[in-house]
Amino acid sequence: MIDFIMIKPVNLLQCLFIFLGIFGTLLLWGQKRLQGVAALLLYYSVLMLLNLLEELNITKPLFFITPALTLLLGPILYFMSRQMVGFYFQANWRVICHIVPTLMALPFTHHTQVVIAIATISQLIYIYQSEKLLNKFNWSIFNTRSDAENLQLCWLNYTLMMLAFIFIIDLVRLNVRSLTSEVVYYHWYFIDLALIFCILCFMVLRLSRQSQLNGQAEPPAISDTVHLHKTLEELNNSELAQKLFDEIHQAVMADSLYLQAKLSVNDICARTQIKTKDISWAINTATNKNFNDYVNELRVKEVQKQLSARRSSQYTLLDIAFNAGFNSKSAFNSAFKRFTNMTPSAYAKLHTRGE
């Protein structure tokens, strides 16, 4: 009876999962693009609650379903990624198909190793598909937005890869249980859970701080930006690309469009009447740069111009950067160093000495 009520450190960690799941769901569910993340947190909250009840022998004698529930994790990660890039959830027969394996596994949950092995393979497949989708989205962002650094989801790519690594390690843990002591097995399990908990906390903090992502009503449509205009692509005409780019560049410079913090290809399209697909194609072909790099290079030159014009004494370096169109210190520092091979502060000091 004493063992029945004994609480272990891993059980306390499971309680933290439950709290994080409830808190994160309440925090993120109201934002349409983040509902997939909220669903992931809710999933872990329910899973850890069932794990806790099973390990305390409260529900295990009656039912044992957590191995089957691991088959839901892959689809949830994939739908979370789709939601983040703007393919919003719609209940239909295809969604139900993703749930069927979980239902089919329920009668076989006592074959824990087999079920979790199948679930791990499923998770890796779904993560691979999610990575492909996120890569397309990031490519699209950097070719259509000048504030891509604040909207990109590269961090989510890395997060999913870390989860995939943990899932594989956890599968190894289950299959070597007979070869390890209970102490090693227990600590291994605790470390796996702790790593996943840290990743979920990171996701909640990252999304709560990424205000540009949260505030953007609709993400750019991948289908409109990833595939370039067929006529131009088939022509592969560098002269035509240069002609279009010259027109684009002239419009950007004439109206100083690069000073707009959230400049996109749609803004240039409205100014030049050139299709957004053709704008991306022309810039890529004529400059070997994506749209984001093209605009940021103009902004860096504007900062250099302001410093050279001796107007910097009344403004801080960050003020000059913001006036040039940058909307974050990290984006400014990264772009400036990439195009000048110097940090902004080092360049400013060198400029001051030169005077």
Side-chain angles (χ1 to χ4, degrees):
M1 189 66 178
I2 295 177
D3 292 338
F4 175 79
I5 61 173
M6 184 177 294
I7 302 296
K8 300 177 181 178
V10 72
N11 301 136
L12 296 177
L13 184 57
Q14 289 165 340
C15 291
L16 289 177
F17 265 100
I18 296 170
F19 172 78
L20 176 65
I22 296 172
F23 172 76
T25 301
L26 293 175
L27 179 67
L28 302 177
W29 190 261
Q31 303 173 59
K32 192 173 183 180
R33 289 185 65 188
L34 306 184
Q35 286 177 352
V37 182
L40 176 65
L41 295 172
L42 185 61
Y43 163 83
Y44 268 109
S45 181
V46 173
L47 183 68
M48 290 302 140
L49 175 61
L50 292 174
N51 267 333
L52 179 62
L53 295 176
E54 288 170 358
E55 290 178 15
L56 295 178
N57 290 320
I58 296 175
T59 61
K60 195 170 183 178
L62 302 175
F63 58 90
F64 180 54
I65 64 172
T66 49
L69 289 182
T70 57
L71 284 161
L72 275 179
L73 182 54
I76 289 175
L77 289 172
Y78 179 64
F79 286 120
M80 175 193 73
S81 301
R82 286 179 61 87
Q83 198 86 357
M84 292 283 284
V85 303
F87 293 131
Y88 297 126
F89 175 83
Q90 293 180 342
N92 52 44
W93 66 270
R94 292 183 179 179
V95 174
I96 296 175
C97 289
H98 293 279
I99 303 174
V100 169
T102 302
L103 300 177
M104 293 177 63
L106 286 174
F108 307 101
T109 52
H110 288 284
H111 300 284
T112 305
Q113 290 180 327
V114 175
V115 173
I116 292 183
I118 295 173
T120 302
I121 295 172
S122 167
Q123 291 157 9
L124 296 178
I125 292 173
Y126 277 108
I127 287 176
Y128 172 72
Q129 294 298 325
S130 299
E131 292 282 347
K132 288 174 60 179
L133 187 64
L134 290 169
N135 285 336
K136 283 185 177 181
F137 175 81
N138 290 325
W139 189 95
S140 169
I141 281 288
F142 279 96
N143 277 282
T144 59
R145 298 291 298 249
S146 65
D147 56 343
E149 291 84 358
N150 300 315
L151 300 171
Q152 52 81 20
L153 296 174
C154 295
W155 63 270
L156 187 55
N157 287 81
Y158 300 134
T159 301
L160 290 177
M161 285 190 285
M162 290 178 63
L163 284 174
F165 177 75
I166 293 173
F167 296 156
I168 294 172
I169 294 299
D170 195 54
L171 180 62
V172 173
R173 174 184 65 86
L174 288 172
N175 284 277
V176 299
R177 183 170 188 175
S178 60
L179 304 177
T180 59
S181 65
E182 284 298 318
V183 175
V184 172
Y185 180 83
Y186 171 81
H187 284 88
W188 194 339
Y189 176 52
F190 181 85
I191 291 172
D192 282 351
L193 284 187
L195 289 174
I196 294 175
F197 181 79
C198 290
I199 289 174
L200 294 179
C201 288
F202 164 76
M203 290 179 66
V204 173
L205 291 174
R206 185 70 170 79
L207 290 170
S208 63
R209 294 175 59 186
Q210 196 168 357
S211 57
Q212 292 87 350
L213 177 63
N214 301 342
Q216 187 184 3
E218 293 293 333
I222 291 178
S223 58
D224 291 339
T225 54
V226 172
H227 304 292
L228 301 178
H229 193 262
K230 286 186 178 180
T231 304
L232 294 178
E233 189 177 46
E234 290 170 358
L235 286 174
N236 194 24
N237 191 326
S238 59
E239 292 183 3
L240 178 58
Q242 188 63 50
K243 182 179 178 181
L244 278 176
F245 172 73
D246 290 342
E247 184 178 348
I248 293 165
H249 186 67
Q250 183 179 359
V252 169
M253 298 305 294
D255 295 340
S256 298
L257 296 179
Y258 58 89
L259 298 181
Q260 298 180 23
K262 296 184 178 181
L263 181 67
S264 71
V265 290
N266 291 326
D267 299 318
I268 297 178
C269 173
R271 174 67 175 78
T272 62
Q273 303 304 311
I274 300 174
K275 294 180 179 179
T276 56
K277 301 172 186 178
D278 298 345
I279 292 172
S280 294
W281 175 82
I283 292 174
N284 290 338
T285 305
T287 68
N288 287 322
K289 298 184 181 74
N290 59 43
F291 178 77
N292 180 259
D293 285 342
Y294 162 68
V295 175
N296 280 342
E297 186 174 19
L298 295 178
R299 290 170 175 170
V300 169
K301 290 179 179 178
E302 179 67 21
V303 172
Q304 292 176 307
K305 177 183 174 182
Q306 295 298 322
L307 291 172
S308 299
R310 301 187 180 184
R311 298 173 186 169
S312 59
S313 58
Q314 55 183 322
Y315 298 106
T316 66
L317 190 56
L318 199 56
D319 288 335
I320 296 174
F322 287 159
N323 290 335
F326 291 103
N327 59 7
S328 74
K329 182 179 179 180
S330 59
F332 167 57
N333 288 336
S334 175
F336 196 94
K337 189 171 184 179
R338 184 164 68 253
F339 293 116
T340 66
N341 292 320
M342 297 180 67
T343 63
S345 56
Y347 183 90
K349 289 179 181 178
L350 184 64
H351 172 77
T352 303
R353 289 174 187 166
E355 293 180 350

